[in-house]
Amino acid sequence: MAGLPQAAFAASQSESYGAKGIFPVYEVSGQWVIYDKKSLAQGRQDSRLKPGGRFLVVGSAGASVFSVESSTAGWGGACKGNKPLKLKAAVLEGPRREVGAPVIAISVPPRFNLKKSQARFRTLSNQVSEDTYRSLLGPLKALLRSEISSPAGGEESIAETAAVKIDFGARVSVAGLPDPFVIVEGAQVAGTYRRCLRLSEGGRLLGACAPMRHELMTETSRLEFVSYDPSGQGKPFILAYTSAEPLWGHERWGFALRKSGPKLFLDDSMDIRCREGF
C-alpha cells in the first residue's frame, strides 16, 4: 500500500480537525462530502479539499480511492450560537458500491492506488457474552480505581459501587497479541457517565481509556463497527459510525489499535440542530 502515510493512524485526540489528512465523510442530499472546517479557523480553504484532491475512503463494506470533483455549500458540519454555519464542502466521486456507507477519508498522493494493497477489512459484530463479563468486569473496576480521583478520598468505594457495562466487544487482530479483544465500556460513576473504547488480552486491559463522548446521545447499540488494517500487519484502526438516522445526528469515530492500547484519532458529528457540547 505504497504512498499511504502510516503516521496518519497515530494522530493524537488533541489534534485539530483534519490532522494527518484524516476527515469524516457524510452523505448529504445524495452527495458524499467532507466539510471544510479549516476555513473557519484560518479563513482559507484546506488545499486537500480543492477539486483534484484524492482520498482513500473507508466505509462499511471496504475502501477505495475517490477524488474531489467540486465544492458545494452545506450545513451540519459546525455550529455557532446554536445555529448551523454554512460551510464549503468537498464533493467526493468514486466507486460507492465498493465502500458502502462512507466513514472516513484519508488524503493520499496523486499516484496512489490499491493494486498492491495488503489491507485487511472486517465488519465487527458484537461478541459480548457472560464470559466477557466474568473475565473483564474485575479488571475494569480495578482500572477505575486507578483512574478516578476524588478530593475527599474514597476512590476505591466509588469504583466498587460504579455501574459498569460492556456494550460492545469483538475479536480483532493486533500485532504482538495472541487473542486481542476490543470493547466499549460504559461506567456510571458518582452521577457521571463515561464511555471508553478499550483493548484487552487474556483478561488484561491494555493502555488507557480511549474516550467516546456521549453528548449526542447515540447509544453504542446504534453504532456499527469495522476494522481496517491498511498494511495488513496487525496495525488496524477501528471505525464506529451511525448507519441509520439517529435521534441527534450522525457520528464518526476512529481509533488506532496497537499492543500498548487504543488511541482516539477522530471524533466528529453532523448535527444540523446544533446540540451543544459536541
Side-chain angles (χ1 to χ4, degrees):
M1 205 161 181
L4 184 61
Q6 292 300 312
F9 310 111
S12 166
Q13 63 204 49
S14 64
E15 291 185 279
S16 63
Y17 177 86
K20 308 299 184 181
I22 301 177
F23 297 86
V25 184
Y26 298 100
E27 182 168 354
V28 182
S29 301
Q31 296 178 318
W32 287 16
V33 302
I34 300 172
Y35 288 109
D36 188 2
K37 296 183 182 180
K38 185 176 182 180
S39 61
L40 286 176
Q42 301 185 7
R44 65 179 185 273
Q45 186 176 7
D46 190 317
S47 61
R48 295 167 295 191
L49 302 180
K50 293 181 179 180
R54 300 180 81 239
F55 289 88
L56 177 69
V57 178
V58 185
S60 62
S64 194
V65 178
F66 283 60
S67 297
V68 178
E69 292 298 312
S70 61
S71 294
T72 187
W75 288 264
C79 300
K80 184 177 181 180
N82 295 332
K83 294 181 180 180
L85 293 175
K86 188 176 182 179
L87 299 178
K88 281 187 177 180
V91 180
L92 299 174
E93 294 293 339
R96 295 189 182 189
R97 289 186 180 182
E98 296 180 14
V99 173
V103 183
I104 65 169
I106 306 160
S107 180
V108 294
R111 301 182 66 180
F112 175 82
N113 64 69
L114 293 171
K115 289 182 179 179
K116 297 182 179 180
S117 173
Q118 301 297 315
R120 296 178 182 176
F121 176 90
R122 290 175 53 202
T123 58
L124 301 178
S125 58
N126 196 348
Q127 297 175 295
V128 173
S129 65
E130 291 183 6
D131 287 340
T132 307
Y133 275 90
R134 278 195 289 268
S135 63
L136 292 178
L137 187 58
L140 282 171
K141 289 203 170 187
L143 195 54
L144 274 175
R145 284 196 292 271
S146 68
E147 293 176 343
I148 293 172
S149 60
S150 171
E155 294 89 342
E156 183 171 348
S157 62
I158 292 174
E160 288 300 327
T161 58
V164 178
K165 59 179 181 175
I166 303 173
D167 290 325
F168 178 85
R171 289 182 175 83
V172 290
S173 296
V174 179
L177 299 177
D179 191 24
F181 194 77
V182 67
I183 65 169
V184 176
E185 163 225 354
Q188 188 74 32
V189 182
T192 300
Y193 182 78
R194 186 184 69 168
R195 183 170 60 170
C196 301
L197 183 134
R198 296 187 185 271
L199 182 62
S200 69
E201 163 63 43
R204 296 181 300 118
L205 295 167
L206 307 174
C209 161
M212 292 188 75
R213 296 185 291 161
H214 204 254
E215 286 87 345
L216 283 184
M217 302 306 292
T218 297
E219 300 295 339
T220 306
S221 61
R222 300 194 68 177
L223 293 172
E224 304 288 338
F225 292 80
V226 299
S227 169
Y228 185 74
D229 185 347
S231 66
Q233 297 179 358
K235 297 179 179 181
F237 53 94
I238 302 300
L239 304 180
Y241 62 97
T242 49
S243 55
E245 187 67 36
L247 178 62
W248 296 112
H250 282 290
E251 296 180 20
R252 298 290 185 264
W253 300 89
F255 303 87
L257 292 188
R258 301 295 184 268
K259 66 178 181 180
S260 58
K263 178 178 285 186
L264 172 69
F265 65 79
L266 175 73
D267 63 337
D268 194 76
S269 66
M270 182 185 71
D271 183 13
I272 61 173
R273 287 156 290 193
C274 293
R275 183 173 171 84
E276 292 181 332
F278 197 95

